[in-house]
């Protein structure tokens, strides 16, 4: 398995501001992902963070709103830009690791936008 | 897009009872994963299934990969209060890295 840490664990932000969430993995992984989980909902994939190239975004998510960096095989950041209360969610970093490429999750970042 | 139907949406059971939940998809899946999420935490992987018909156990948990490759179930035997949480299924198709997630089953266990 992989051990994943995220910072910050939670934050309360004002609308119109931006927040950058960091994800650190204890081993090199090829595939890293960012998910959003709105209150009481399931997980929605935002994008795949590609090392050395632009992230691959899912339908409904755009780079201007959710810029992603992946400078190496153990680290990624997700920025939530120009936030509104609708962005209040848990944001989860995920990686594929292990002999069968199981998917593991970080502890999440709980974001509240006022 | 890919549809994953998970049921039931929620369950209220007595401690000691057995629990069963399942997921069905509209497409054939290559891998099924089952997760548990506690409040304020990220999902934790419980069981991974890779072959049609595969039956895998993890303590009191047992999961099966349906032979049609379009469904999977998770059973919890002799439930205890710490089983409370939300259980998610997830599956992916061959040669696709993306996993699709079910809507979750919220389990409540009364002591």
């Amino acid at each position: 398995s992989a051990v994943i840490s995220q910072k910050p664990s939670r934050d309360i932000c004002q609308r119109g501001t931006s927040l950058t969430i960091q994800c650190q993995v204890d081993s090199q992984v090829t595939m890293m992902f960012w998910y959003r989980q709105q209150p009481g909902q399931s997980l929605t994939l935002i994008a795949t963070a590609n090392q050395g190239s632009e992230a691959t975004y899912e339908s409904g998510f755009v780079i201007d709103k959710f810029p992603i960096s992946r400078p190496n095989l153990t680290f990624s950041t997700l920025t939530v830009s120009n936030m509104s209360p609708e962005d209040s969610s848990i944001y989860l970093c995920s990686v594929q690791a292990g002999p069968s490429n199981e998917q593991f999750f970080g502890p999440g970042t709980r974001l509240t936008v006022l | 897009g890919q549809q994953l139907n998970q049921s039931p949406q929620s369950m209220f059971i007595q401690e000691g009872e057995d629990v069963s939940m399942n997921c069905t998809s509209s497409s054939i899946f290559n891998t099924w994963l089952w997760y548990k999420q506690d409040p304020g935490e990220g999902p934790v992987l419980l069981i991974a299934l890779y072959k049609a018909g595969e039956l895998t156990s993890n303590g009191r948990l047992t999961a099966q990969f349906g032979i049609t490759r379009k469904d999977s179930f998770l059973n919890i035997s002799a439930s205890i209060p710490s089983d409370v949480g939300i259980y998610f299924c997830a599956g992916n198709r061959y040669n696709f890295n993306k996993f699709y997630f079910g809507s979750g089953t919220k389990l409540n266990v009364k002591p």
Side-chain angles (χ1 to χ4, degrees):
Chain A
S1 67
V3 178
I4 306 166
S5 59
Q6 285 185 235
K7 288 196 294 187
S9 59
R10 58 177 61 230
D11 207 343
I12 300 173
C13 301
Q14 296 296 320
R15 71 167 67 216
T17 63
S18 298
L19 176 72
T20 295
I21 302 167
Q22 298 179 4
C23 176
Q24 180 74 52
V25 192
D26 68 340
S27 58
Q28 293 186 339
V29 293
T30 304
M31 306 298 296
M32 291 183 78
F33 307 91
W34 286 99
Y35 285 80
R36 182 174 73 183
Q37 186 177 28
Q38 294 177 305
Q41 301 296 313
S42 185
L43 291 82
T44 301
L45 181 63
I46 298 172
T48 303
N50 300 310
Q51 196 264 329
S53 64
E54 195 171 281
T56 305
Y57 289 84
E58 296 297 305
S59 175
F61 298 96
V62 295
I63 187 171
D64 289 346
K65 176 67 175 177
F66 296 102
I68 288 170
S69 79
R70 177 89 192 271
N72 56 53
L73 293 176
T74 64
F75 186 79
S76 178
T77 67
L78 168 75
T79 299
V80 186
S81 303
N82 189 24
M83 288 183 285
S84 66
E86 292 72 34
D87 294 321
S88 298
S89 287
I90 299 172
Y91 291 85
L92 293 150
C93 173
S94 175
V95 306
Q96 286 187 356
S100 301
N101 283 329
E102 295 96 343
Q103 191 151 341
F104 299 93
F105 285 87
T109 296
R110 184 179 293 271
L111 172 62
T112 302
V113 184
L114 303 177
Chain B
Q2 181 61 48
Q3 296 288 331
L4 254 190
N5 298 307
Q6 184 172 351
S7 65
Q9 190 173 17
S10 64
M11 305 179 73
F12 291 82
I13 62 169
Q14 202 72 36
E15 181 177 0
E17 289 183 352
D18 297 343
V19 170
S20 184
M21 60 193 77
N22 70 84
C23 271
T24 59
S25 74
S26 55
S27 301
I28 290 175
F29 275 179
N30 189 53
T31 302
W32 284 98
L33 306 176
W34 284 93
Y35 292 87
K36 179 181 182 236
Q37 186 176 28
D38 292 326
E41 305 287 331
V44 174
L45 182 63
L46 299 173
I47 292 179
L49 302 161
Y50 303 103
K51 293 191 302 187
E54 180 181 357
L55 186 72
T56 298
S57 293
N58 178 4
R60 293 177 295 105
L61 278 61
T62 302
Q64 185 159 30
F65 195 141
I67 57 173
T68 66
R69 302 181 68 184
K70 292 184 177 183
D71 63 334
S72 177
F73 71 75
L74 175 70
N75 286 343
I76 305 173
S77 63
S79 58
I80 58 178
S82 62
D83 291 334
V84 166
I86 302 177
Y87 293 80
F88 290 100
C89 64
N92 80 335
R93 296 162 60 190
Y94 182 69
N95 266 349
F96 285 83
N97 288 311
K98 183 167 70 173
F99 277 85
Y100 300 90
F101 281 80
S103 54
T105 296
K106 187 171 184 178
L107 178 63
N108 299 276
V109 180
K110 289 168 56 176

